[in-house]
Amino acid sequence: MTKGPQFEPVQPVRAYQRIVEQVEDALARGDLAPGQRLPSERELVAQFAVSRSTVREALRVLESNGVVRSRPGDPNGPEILPFSSFALRKQMTRLARVDELTLSELIGFRMIMDGAAIQVASRLRTPEELDDLEATLVAMRDAIDVDFAAFSEADLAFHELIARISRNSLIQTCNEVVRGVVLGLIADKIAHAPNSRALMLESLHHHAEVVDAIRAGDGHAAARIARQNMFDYYAGYVPDSEQETLRALIDD
Amino acid sequence: MTKGPQFEPVQPVRAYQRIVEQVEDALARGDLAPGQRLPSERELVAQFAVSRSTVREALRVLESNGVVRSRPGDPNGPEILPFSSFALRKQMTRLARVDELTLSELIGFRMIMDGAAIQVASRLRTPEELDDLEATLVAMRDAIDVDFAAFSEADLAFHELIARISRNSLIQTCNEVVRGVVLGLIADKIAHAPNSRALMLESLHHHAEVVDAIRAGDGHAAARIARQNMFDYYAGYVPDSEQETLRALIDD
DNA sequence: TGCGCCGACTGGTCTGACCAGTGGACTAGG
DNA sequence: CCTAGTCCACTGGTCAGACCAGTCGGCGCA
């Protein structure tokens, strides 16, 4: 069953999709540049030989990708947006291709990001924020008795708080995003692991150690424990061949 | 001119946009869950009291955001996609809202990310990759004599290489993306700065120091120099009040 | 010369139609 | 009774043509 050629599901290519591709390709080739204008919708209808509805659906996709912007009444036609916006979207799309990322890359990224956030947070945290961290530890403890989903939510709250303390919403977003992806991939396996409760308790214990280190102002130690914890927690789901790469990340 | 209330350009809200918002809000509230189905297009026409074209334009946006997927002939209607895909896109969109991010957040993120990548790279790098790094230094040196754009490209190549050496494409993507955004915001100012050439030479010098530290296997030093360099390079464009936050990131 | 008006456009929306698929209900055959 | 085949209501994809409010450039008037 796992042998033999792997066929991919074939799905019909929609006309509006091919329009989107043509425009984005032109942009990638440089035939189209930011600041330039696309022909008017009616002109595009003629060029692509499709109906205006189809052209407009394609424009909606391009717009949602941050490639173009239409303005009613503008005789110049849809505007090609400047680099930052287009490139960002384009890159993000690449990032969003979860299936092209290995689990170990995702986990490695989390180890690095989370470690960095904790290190920064251990310097910037106020006494009140330290109290908040303690509070999330209690919440995690309580959640263990409920179920894995509850624990996972409490864990999320912990990492959100860390990211917030690090005073950088980008860190926060990145961490949340990648965390969501990783969990989406393996949450079931963890939840149904026979030693699920033990895993949660151990994770809680490590989190408490992290908070202790933060309180002591030892960012290095805090980050290291956090990375170690993440390794222990997730590495089991990574192929053996890739575990070494992750293990190398624990120490800094 | 810089005083007084700042008004934002007002633009009409399109009907399809409000449909997109309603669906995404419903998803965020939990009224709609992954795996569930949206009503058929003709049903949505009735519910939203718009034409089918409008519904379809909204669906194209939702589809491009990874929220739903339509399949021709499927009597169940468009499918709400599972968490990982939706959440990822959603978060990424949030991330992509450059205007909501401060420049200092972006730069701080780069300092942290790039520092982490360099630290990892200094451990994982092979002798060949070290040679490649040296080569990019030469390229940077040559590019200075051309113009800022050329230097910027050579600098990009350097950071791409660092990210690749760190064996994590996510780091690579993140770094590239944020770098692109930052440059999009201030590249002009740097390029036209009176001391532009001096800045480039200094940056090159720091890069060389980074490579030296990597060769010596001192990840901490390499990362610290890189963060310092980024601070020197960019901090001038950040409001004074936020510079301290960035400066705090230099040491780890 | 300067101003305001006008008209040829634009994008946003609507109506109504056709087509190739899909999948559930129904039916004929085992 | 269950299975296999047919059928049909319905889906999404696409098309053609229409109207409207808004934009902008040029023309003509003061």
Side-chain angles (χ1 to χ4, degrees), chain A residues 94 105 112 245, chain B residues 113-114 116-118 120-126 128-133 135-136 154 156-176 214:
Chain A
R94 231 174 73 200
E105 275 183 314
I112 292 172
T245 316
Chain B
M113 279 299 299
D114 209 47
I118 285 177
V120 174
S122 73
R123 177 129 23 106
L124 301 181
R125 59 91 182 165
T126 64
E128 292 77 26
E129 285 166 336
L130 199 55
D131 292 342
D132 293 343
L133 278 176
T136 60
L156 172 61
F158 181 88
H159 287 92
E160 268 181 353
L161 188 52
I162 287 288
R164 193 152 64 245
I165 296 176
S166 63
R167 311 275 185 269
N168 194 308
S169 63
L170 257 184
I171 289 186
Q172 190 166 345
T173 306
C174 259
N175 241 333
E176 272 179 51
I214 290 178

Side-chain angles (χ1 to χ4, degrees), chain A residues 16 56-57 60 63-65 70 88-89 91-92 101 105 112-113 116 123 168-169 177 248 251, chain B residues 14 16 56-57 60 63-65 88-89 91-92 101 105 112-113 123 168-169 176-177 248 251:
Chain A
Y16 64 82
R56 282 183 60 80
E57 290 190 34
R60 289 299 82 74
E63 205 170 74
S64 143
N65 284 356
S70 296
L88 191 61
R89 267 327 198 119
Q91 305 273 35
M92 283 310 166
L101 294 169
E105 275 183 314
I112 292 172
M113 281 299 300
R123 176 133 21 107
N168 195 307
S169 64
V177 170
D251 292 308
Chain B
R14 287 87 194 251
Y16 63 82
R56 281 183 60 80
E57 291 190 34
R60 288 298 82 72
E63 205 169 74
S64 144
N65 285 357
L88 191 59
R89 268 324 199 125
Q91 305 272 35
M92 282 311 166
L101 293 170
E105 274 184 316
I112 293 172
M113 279 299 299
R123 177 129 23 106
N168 194 308
S169 63
E176 272 179 51
V177 169
D251 292 309

